[in-house]
């Protein structure tokens, strides 16, 4: 299964489905769970960690999951560097898990709609990923998998403070709900800072494309809940959904304004971005994502024709990543070689179409 | 004036650096100045240092209070000191053992200290009923505050039914 996953840019979250999927790229639910009395990963020794891995694997085997819930098990240290890199680039594992240390595990289904990390910061981290704004659907799926695991495993739970997690910032529901949004118009008009900062006051956190400590590239932002204790899962999800809709509306209003008041500049920007993606000989990841952002907005607004061959725009975000570029290579490529291959690839994708 | 570094070429770059309040003046030629690649930016702070900020939220025991610092969780043998330092718990029992110290930490992080979300099915029914009762009573207060009396009456009936169930439950258990 892993070969299939790393060979395709498609993932469950890259589909053209879900509410507002032109602006909300994906919705993610993460549940942090730990096993009763067992030493948590921050203080684990090798034997503690391997015990957790065995217990979770046995639990999943015992469940005899079928169809979409059928999970494939991998030890991270048995995967290659490139395989781990691509799993990370597809948002299926964290940067910590990417390091591939001993006794780190992954359970994943064929559609890539659920990935469970074992011995990450917590013993178990269930993650579901869906395209567009559908946090409720992602929650239902995660909740269901969680119920099933719980029927086989003894979770660490306290009646007063809920699910016990490695870090007290996750205690309670252990739930982190997040959306990845594409906000080029807000960024262009220098409003994104104001809008995103105000989210902090509403209990939400904003991060870059690859989570904690990363910069925003390609005008992509991840917005998630901060508080996990004292609110129900439904409240957390509804709150984030409502505020995401609000942000989508702000982005749309700003796009409309740009279209009415600055059409010439907008056409210029979008057309140039398309031209660069179509004609470059050297293209790095950051450039690719930034120009993709302009092109995506141009397509959304009907300024350019959608003529990308073979893939949709979300898949191109994956295609642009350094690990994915090297998926079929035996050796690690020099950055300049990767940039040349990437430029070639994008030139093919954007061969036809362009400004109207 | 000759360059202070190569002592050959003419110095044409004047640099004044103030490091920790100490003023350092340098007269260099352009080439030497370039070679030195003077970097006035702040050094990069490694990310793991930022994670440790969380430790600040943990109740720091008074230094003289050796007993709390050295106290270890009887289950995983991790000390409170280690937990506060790393911002991470040793095991689920740490939450119980260090509950007193952790309560203010949780309130600082979440502005709350009571879980209202999902409950594992394994946890006994009596606890589930307790929680249902808590939720209903909260709903009742909200309904009354919002002057939704019809809804309030409905919730009141459900509370009564639940109370009946609880009594019956204890009766059976005895």
């Amino acid at each position: 299964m892993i070969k299939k996953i790393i060979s395709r840019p498609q993932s469950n979250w890259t589909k053209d489905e879900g509410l507002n999927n032109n602006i909300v790229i994906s919705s993610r639910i993460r549940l942090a769970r730990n096993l009763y009395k067992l030493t948590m990963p921050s203080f684990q020794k090798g034997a503690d960690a391997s015990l957790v891995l065995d217990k979770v694997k046995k639990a999943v085997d015992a469940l005899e999951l079928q169809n979409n819930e059928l999970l494939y098990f991998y030890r991270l240290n048995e995967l290659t560097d490139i395989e781990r890199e691509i799993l990370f680039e597809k948002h299926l594992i964290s940067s910590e898990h990417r390091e591939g240390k001993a006794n780190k595990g992954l359970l994943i289904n064929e559609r890539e709609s659920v990935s469970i990390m074992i011995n990450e910061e917590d013993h178990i981290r269930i993650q579901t990923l869906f395209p567009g704004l559908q946090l409720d659907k992602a929650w239902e799926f995660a909740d269901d998998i969680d119920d099933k695991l719980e029927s086989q495993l003894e979770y660490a739970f306290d009646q007063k403070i809920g699910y016990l997690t490695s870090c007290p910032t996750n205690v309670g529901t252990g739930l982190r709900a997040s959306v990845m949004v594409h906000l080029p118009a807000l960024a262009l008009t220098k409003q994104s800072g104001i809008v995103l900062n105000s989210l902090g006051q509403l209990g939400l956190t904003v991060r870059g494309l690859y989570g904690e400590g990363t910069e925003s590239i390609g005008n992509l932002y991840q917005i998630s809940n901060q508080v996990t204790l004292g609110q129900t899962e439904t409240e957390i999800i509804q709150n984030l959904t409502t505020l995401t809709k609000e942000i989508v509306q702000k982005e749309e209003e700003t796009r409309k304004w740009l279209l009415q008041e600055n059409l010439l500049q907008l056409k210029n920007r979008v057309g140039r971005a398309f031209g660069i993606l179509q004609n470059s000989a050297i293209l790095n990841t950051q450039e690719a994502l930034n120009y993709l952002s302009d092109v995506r907005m141009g397509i959304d607004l009907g300024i350019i024709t959608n003529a990308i061959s073979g893939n949709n725009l979300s898949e191109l975000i994956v295609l642009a990543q350094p690990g994915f570029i090297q998926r079929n290579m035996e050796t690690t490529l020099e950055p300049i070689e990767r940039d040349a291959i990437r430029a070639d690839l994008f030139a093919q994708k954007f061969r036809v179409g362009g400004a109207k | 004036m000759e360059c202070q570094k190569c002592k050959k070429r003419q110095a044409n770059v004047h640099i004044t650096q103030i490091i920790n309040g100490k003023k350092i003046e340098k007269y260099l030629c352009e080439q030497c100045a370039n070679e030195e690649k003077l970097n006035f930016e702040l050094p990069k702070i490694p990310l793991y240092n930022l994670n440790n900020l969380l430790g600040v939220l943990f109740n720091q025991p008074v230094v003289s209070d050796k007993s709390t610092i050295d106290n270890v969780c009887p289950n995983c043998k991790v000390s409170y000191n280690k937990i506060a330092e790393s911002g991470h718990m040793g095991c689920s029992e740490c939450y119980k053992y260090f509950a007193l110290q952790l309560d203010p930490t949780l309130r600082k992080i979440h502005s709350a200290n009571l879980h209202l979300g999902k409950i594992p099915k394994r946890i006994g029914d009596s606890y589930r009923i307790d929680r249902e009762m808590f939720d209903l009573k909260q709903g009742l207060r909200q309904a009354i505050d919002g002057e939704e009396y019809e809804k309030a009456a409905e919730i009141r009936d459900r509370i009564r039914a639940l109370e009946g169930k609880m009594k019956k439950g204890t009766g059976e258990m005895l």
Side-chain angles (χ1 to χ4, degrees):
Chain A
M1 188 49 56
I2 200 79
K3 298 276 176 247
K4 199 167 171 182
I5 291 170
I6 68 147
S7 66
R8 61 185 178 199
Q10 293 84 3
S11 196
N12 194 50
W13 64 267
T14 63
K15 289 180 192 161
D16 286 323
E17 288 170 16
L19 192 66
N20 300 117
N21 75 30
N22 59 330
I23 291 172
V24 185
I25 312 285
S26 63
S27 299
R28 185 176 75 108
I29 291 290
R30 183 268 279 154
L31 292 175
R33 300 291 188 249
N34 286 278
L35 301 180
Y36 180 60
K37 277 198 171 176
L38 297 186
T39 304
M40 289 178 182
S42 309
F43 294 96
Q44 267 175 344
K45 293 193 180 63
D48 302 324
S50 99
L51 179 69
V52 171
L53 210 55
D54 286 348
K55 274 184 184 262
V56 178
K57 191 175 182 303
K58 269 193 198 126
V60 171
D61 287 344
L63 285 169
E64 295 182 357
L65 298 167
Q66 297 294 322
N67 305 323
N68 189 30
E69 292 191 337
L70 181 62
L71 297 169
Y72 296 84
F73 174 82
Y74 297 97
R75 283 171 192 271
L76 270 292
N77 60 356
E78 287 170 0
L79 300 178
T80 66
D81 289 353
I82 290 286
E83 284 169 340
R84 290 197 302 269
E85 182 67 27
I86 295 172
L87 287 172
F88 169 74
E89 289 170 352
K90 294 181 94 175
H91 300 275
L92 300 168
I93 61 170
S94 65
S95 64
E96 211 183 316
H97 239 47
R98 173 177 54 169
E99 290 169 23
K101 292 188 188 139
N103 293 313
K104 308 275 177 196
L106 170 70
L107 287 156
I108 190 163
N109 67 345
E110 187 178 350
R111 274 195 224 173
E112 307 172 27
S113 54
V114 59
S115 67
I116 302 172
M117 284 184 277
I118 308 163
N119 288 328
E120 212 256 7
E121 187 182 291
D122 295 286
H123 289 146
I124 298 170
R125 283 196 161 194
I126 305 168
Q127 176 190 266
T128 54
L129 261 170
F130 283 76
L133 181 56
Q134 30 183 355
L135 285 167
D136 41 1
K137 196 170 168 189
W139 157 247
E140 275 167 32
F141 192 37
D143 186 30
D144 175 53
I145 301 261
D146 183 45
D147 282 347
K148 292 197 163 104
L149 286 181
E150 188 235 307
S151 71
Q152 299 290 329
L153 294 162
E154 195 172 0
Y155 277 170
F157 181 85
D158 178 86
Q159 304 204 341
K160 193 169 166 260
I161 57 170
Y163 291 93
L164 303 175
T165 51
S166 169
C167 184
T169 51
N170 294 315
V171 95
T173 54
L175 167 72
R176 188 81 67 220
S178 64
V179 288
M180 186 157 77
V181 287
H182 178 230
L183 307 175
L186 287 175
L188 199 60
T189 54
K190 310 228 181 304
Q191 293 182 92
S192 52
I194 305 163
V195 173
L196 299 174
N197 281 339
S198 66
L199 290 177
Q201 289 154 1
L202 298 163
L204 299 178
T205 311
V206 184
R207 298 186 179 114
L209 177 58
Y210 284 103
E212 230 160 311
T214 62
E215 298 276 319
S216 159
I217 312 172
N219 301 315
L220 294 165
Y221 304 86
Q222 279 193 61
I223 305 169
S224 59
N225 65 304
Q226 183 114 56
V227 164
T228 54
L229 184 63
Q231 289 177 21
T232 65
E233 288 83 359
T234 325
E235 279 170 345
I236 292 170
I237 287 158
Q238 277 174 356
N239 185 28
L240 181 57
T241 303
T242 311
L243 285 164
T244 304
K245 281 183 183 162
E246 195 64 33
I247 292 165
V248 167
Q249 203 190 327
K250 288 231 160 30
E251 170 69 21
E252 276 176 342
E253 278 167 13
T254 313
R255 287 183 184 190
K256 229 173 256 166
W257 179 83
L258 282 172
L259 213 49
Q260 278 165 6
E261 307 291 328
N262 294 284
L263 182 61
L264 199 61
Q265 287 89 337
L266 198 61
K267 269 185 164 171
N268 180 50
R269 189 184 174 94
V270 167
R272 281 172 182 235
F274 193 94
I276 290 170
L277 292 179
Q278 193 177 43
N279 295 298
S280 292
I282 302 170
L283 189 66
N284 71 34
T285 308
Q286 190 166 347
E287 282 177 307
L289 292 181
N290 286 336
Y291 293 126
L292 263 180
S293 168
D294 289 337
V295 166
R296 191 177 190 121
M297 176 166 65
I299 291 171
D300 284 349
L301 294 176
I303 295 173
I304 46 177
T305 50
N306 186 354
I308 303 156
S309 55
N311 296 98
N312 72 17
L313 287 152
S314 294
E315 288 159 21
L316 290 185
I317 299 175
V318 177
L319 268 173
Q321 301 300 328
F324 200 80
I325 289 282
Q326 297 180 73
R327 68 193 180 284
N328 296 325
M329 312 286 165
E330 293 286 317
T331 50
T332 320
L333 297 175
E334 292 295 315
I336 188 83
E337 296 175 292
R338 286 202 303 260
D339 293 352
I341 295 174
R342 186 180 296 109
D344 254 6
L345 189 85
F346 275 79
Q348 282 170 36
K349 296 287 169 198
F350 289 91
R351 204 168 27 206
V352 275
K356 270 183 186 169
Chain B
M1 187 191 277
E2 67 176 17
C3 168
Q4 289 175 339
K5 203 180 168 199
C6 64
K7 304 206 192 307
K8 278 184 216 151
R9 287 177 288 266
Q10 186 74 20
N12 48 12
V13 180
H14 177 206
I15 298 156
T16 310
Q17 266 181 306
I18 298 171
I19 299 167
N20 296 330
K22 218 175 129 190
K23 195 167 159 189
I24 301 164
E25 281 189 275
K26 284 182 188 167
Y27 293 90
L28 304 172
C29 67
E30 213 171 320
Q31 204 172 328
C32 288
N34 263 337
E35 275 168 20
E36 282 219 336
K37 272 201 179 130
L38 291 159
N39 192 355
F40 299 110
E41 282 173 42
L42 280 171
K44 261 199 171 169
I45 304 163
L47 211 69
Y48 60 85
N49 276 353
L50 292 173
N51 288 341
N52 291 351
L53 276 179
L54 199 69
V56 178
L57 288 176
F58 282 82
N59 235 15
Q60 296 296 335
V62 194
V63 184
S64 61
D65 186 6
K66 271 298 251 181
S67 58
T68 315
I69 296 179
D70 296 333
N71 213 349
V72 299
C73 164
N75 181 50
C76 66
K77 315 283 186 256
V78 172
S79 69
Y80 182 74
N81 199 25
K82 278 262 155 58
I83 293 172
E85 212 177 84
S86 67
H88 288 84
M89 309 300 284
C91 70
S92 53
E93 294 307 282
C94 292
Y95 277 99
K96 222 180 272 172
Y97 195 66
F98 300 115
L100 269 180
Q101 288 93 323
L102 282 170
D103 189 67
T105 308
L106 292 178
R107 272 192 272 191
K108 270 179 223 163
I109 298 170
H110 301 282
S111 308
N113 63 353
L114 196 64
H115 175 59
L116 300 175
K118 187 175 174 178
I119 305 159
K121 296 201 168 54
R122 271 171 191 261
I123 304 290
D125 278 346
S126 64
Y127 173 63
R128 293 185 155 275
I129 291 175
D130 278 355
R131 252 296 287 286
E132 209 182 323
M133 186 61 95
F134 178 87
D135 290 346
L136 282 173
K137 282 187 175 163
Q138 246 192 354
L140 181 65
R141 194 172 311 141
Q142 272 170 16
I144 292 170
D145 286 348
E147 300 188 356
E148 298 168 272
Y149 297 114
E150 245 173 72
K151 197 175 158 193
E154 196 185 297
I155 296 175
R156 186 202 57 210
D157 291 344
R158 275 165 60 196
I159 290 177
R160 281 191 185 149
L162 199 61
E163 275 171 349
K165 214 164 144 190
M166 279 164 97
K167 268 182 201 147
K168 216 173 119 199
T170 19
E172 277 166 5
M173 267 160 73
L174 285 171

